[in-house]
Amino acid sequence: MFCFQSLQRMKIAVIGQSVFGADVYKLLQKDGHEIVGVFTVPDVNGKPDPLAVAAQSDGIPVFKYKRWQIKKQPIPEVLAEYQKLGAELNVLPFCSQFIPMDVINFPKERSIIYHPSILPLHRGASAINWTLMQGDKVGGFSVFWADDGLDTGPILLQKKTYVAPNDTVDTIYNRFLYPEGVKAMGEAVRLIDTGMAPKIVQNEDGATYDAMMKKSNAVINWDQSAEAIHNWIRGCDKVPGAWATINGEQVTLYGSKMWNRMEPRGRSVEIQGASRPAIVHKNGMVVFGKDGKMVNISQVQMASGKMINANKFGRDDGGESKIELTSEEKTMIADLKKVWAGILNVDVEITTDFFKSGAGSMDVVRLVEEVKEKCNGVSLENDDVYMNTVFEDFCTCVVKRGRGIEDKEPFEFEAVKMRKNNMDLTIPYQLFIENEFMDSSDGKMFKTINPANEEVICEVSRGTPDDVNRAVEAAKEAFFEGPWGKMNARDRGKLMYRLADLMEEHKEELATLESIDSGAVYTLALKTHVGMSIDTFRYFAGWCDKIQGKTIPINHSTPNRNLTYTKREPIGVCGIVVPWNYPLMMLAWKMAACLAAGNVVLLKPAQVTPLTALKFAELSVKAGFPPGVINILPGPGSSIGQAMSEHPDIRKIGFTGSTPIGKTIMESCAKVNVKKVGLELGGKSPLIIFSDCDIDKAVRMACSAVFFNKGENCIAAGRLFVEDSIHDEFIERVVAEVKKMKVGDPLNRSTDHGPQNHRAHLEKLVEFCDIGVKEGATLVYGGKQADMPGLFMTPTVFTDVEDDTMMAIEESFGPIMIVSRFMDGANASEYGLASGVFTKDINKAMTVADGIKAGTVFVNTYNKTDVASPFGGFKQSGFGKDL
């Protein structure tokens, strides 16, 4: 047998105000109850309360009393007018007035009221504020049987929710207290209607009655922990606003968050009563608790009522120049005036303040929507209203947004300016962290040298492990909290396309920097170093929205049906260490794929070639990349590279460089957090030339294989194996080609061969040649430093190189051709990055290609790389792929 009670239409009086009250009213109407009357507050500036508007539109009687009682005695005519309606239940969803007990107790079912706390905690009118100010981990609301106004009546129902560390009154209200509260009021009435509503007496243990928060008692007590200060500020945000005295002025602080990063760099500001000065920095204003921990403030309000971003506090901006309006914009301003008048019900002047004229948080939402409708789709954020409360300022904001102007700080940085290669160069020289160029933590610098003349180009900031920590914090913020981690994949691609366009726009400047910093011939830098970097970013920009997982058929667990799928997700913070031979191209090869997948990066350029990476950083800001996504840290590998390898929050390292350093990095990564590692290491690429080859092409391509980029090429042909029958002719032709090569100024368009990258490397190459001669190899040409100023090495040719000699085993990384007669030893090397074969016999070519253990095998060509083709090696040339 089933027992149930049917719902009856109850006669309900709704007493209260606000949008919340209006939504409760609508729900009760929807549930079929008879609303006999609505009691709310008088109009403000001729503007009715939302509850009154909702009821009047339905023809429900609306009563607007200024007060219900005088000296705690009900006003007789008010009481009589109420009783005449014959309500069976009073519902008070949100009520700021004192209601006499004669009204509370009059209906058959008495009265229920909504209170935004878990009673008996936080009784009083500022319950939400105190939930946050006390640092409660759990919040919620109660629906209770109304009493004499002390919030002590029996509980009907309660609902709880978590309180997030950075919740404000607005966020917890909009997320839970408002939507769930409306539904709970409807549920409470249904319980009453069915006779199932409980009356649970409140337990007085732990009960609190908290003071109503006003501006006068919202002053911040600095003699407490940072967390307590944060809770106080967020509990008062936006009303009444927690304040402090700064420079003798009452300043209200908004938008607080715990700052769990390193102490920021910025300007000190004294705060009355605080143990330490605040720091105004790029991301706001940091204040300190007595425990030394930090809270970051995002916005402040001056005593005048003017809201500004906290990072602008104390700055004299000199005022903004007045905007000249177009005729269309003048019409738009007239429309805005009508919108404000419609919301505020006042005559709007240029000095009218939105909130001082009676607007509330729901009016902000309405204003934003009406601006979008009336002003050609201009999109505002709620904060735009809070930051521009005066009509004149608001109009300026709307005009700016309509013109596509954002209120962003101008991107300014210190730079070295010089004229080279018939163009003006602007060269950033500081570390790049969180979209800001800054000095290193210890202020130290190092000199970067032009290898063509050994002159100092400029001094560059030398990063430290502390700077690595700061950059990792910025990268984590960007990945976990910032817009980058939430950005659509296609939008990431747009940023990368924009960056590639800027790189192309500045390609001559980038190529010039690459040439003077690394010694690359300008024409080669323009085509390859820079050109392929641009191609790489464009290629991977197209991949952003094509990174897909799989669906996998699996056995079902009867009677259920199961679905399994995989997702490709970004790793997080990635560290990149690039070499000095292709500074920009190696950056692009490693970074573009990281960014396309949604990662954030720290990049350490080679200490001897930092300039194009820093110029690239400048362009990344102009392209619109959010702060912290790209960070560039020049300096020594022994400190910065090691700190990156050992940092627990870096989840992958990509390294191009020597095999011994690669082994050290791999060991460090394994010890700390088993981070992923990609290594592109040394090479000793064999080039095999058969007698049946096209010898003209073979000679030309062999010279390119060895001398391309003055031999500073990871896939350079480290050893040539030439079939005996053509060996002598091959050597003769190679030497003839080498003698034609013009060695000299890399900025000269006719130069074939520029300087080696740095002096230590040049000296190593000369020593390499000396050892080769001592070991019995035949020096056919070169083998010494060129007789001219600068770090120039004569292109060199050796033959008769034996398999067990240093020259046959070790990589020179320079313009040294090492030739042996055919052909044992092609696979003997511990390296396996690249290789090549020249023959007209396709079967022979394929046999050799299959037999050589190398990541890339070139057939009848060399140095042909492409952004669409993976690049990496075998054995001690590393593992993992670039591109």
Side-chain angles (χ1 to χ4, degrees), residues 675-690:
K675 57 172 60 74
K676 289 175 175 286
V677 185
L679 301 175
E680 196 255 277
L681 306 176
K684 189 69 175 175
S685 302
L687 176 57
I688 302 166
I689 300 174
F690 286 95

Side-chain angles (χ1 to χ4, degrees), residues 166-340:
N166 293 313
D167 262 335
T168 64
V169 172
D170 280 351
T171 60
I172 194 171
Y173 182 74
N174 293 327
R175 170 172 56 82
F176 183 82
L177 299 177
Y178 180 171
E180 296 302 318
V182 171
K183 290 188 282 187
M185 291 299 283
E187 180 184 348
V189 172
R190 286 190 289 274
L191 288 171
I192 294 169
D193 195 19
T194 57
M196 299 175 66
K199 293 184 178 179
I200 304 168
V201 176
Q202 291 191 38
N203 188 340
E204 291 302 309
D205 291 340
T208 61
Y209 190 91
D210 300 315
M212 182 174 180
M213 291 306 300
K214 302 176 182 178
K215 199 70 177 181
S216 58
N217 63 354
V219 61
I220 300 168
N221 172 19
W222 297 104
D223 189 26
Q224 54 184 336
S225 69
E227 184 176 8
I229 291 170
H230 163 59
N231 289 335
W232 184 268
I233 295 171
R234 69 188 179 117
C236 293
D237 188 335
K238 300 273 186 196
V239 176
W243 60 274
T245 302
I246 307 178
N247 297 334
E249 180 179 1
Q250 181 177 299
V251 178
T252 307
L253 311 183
Y254 296 108
S256 73
K257 287 186 178 181
M258 293 298 296
W259 183 264
N260 297 314
R261 296 166 56 178
M262 298 172 68
E263 184 175 308
R265 303 176 187 177
R267 295 178 287 109
S268 294
V269 175
E270 294 290 339
I271 299 181
Q272 184 176 310
S275 59
R276 287 188 58 181
I279 300 174
V280 177
H281 63 110
K282 177 182 177 181
N283 295 314
M285 176 194 291
V286 155
V287 297
F288 293 85
K290 72 173 183 180
D291 55 1
K293 295 182 179 180
M294 295 172 281
V295 177
N296 194 54
I297 309 301
S298 63
Q299 297 170 348
V300 298
Q301 185 178 40
M302 311 308 292
S304 64
K306 176 70 175 176
M307 288 277 287
I308 61 171
N309 290 321
N311 62 359
K312 295 182 178 180
F313 182 83
R315 185 191 305 173
D316 182 10
D317 289 331
E320 293 187 2
S321 57
K322 194 171 181 66
I323 294 178
E324 292 295 327
L325 300 176
T326 65
S327 57
E328 292 83 359
E329 288 167 344
K330 290 177 181 177
T331 302
M332 185 168 69
I333 298 298
D335 291 338
L336 286 175
K337 197 169 189 177
K338 294 176 183 176
V339 169
W340 274 49

Side-chain angles (χ1 to χ4, degrees), residues 550-557 560-566:
K550 298 177 180 179
T551 55
I552 304 169
I554 62 172
N555 290 343
H556 298 301
S557 300
N560 298 320
R561 297 181 65 81
N562 303 108
L563 170 68
T564 297
Y565 65 93
T566 62

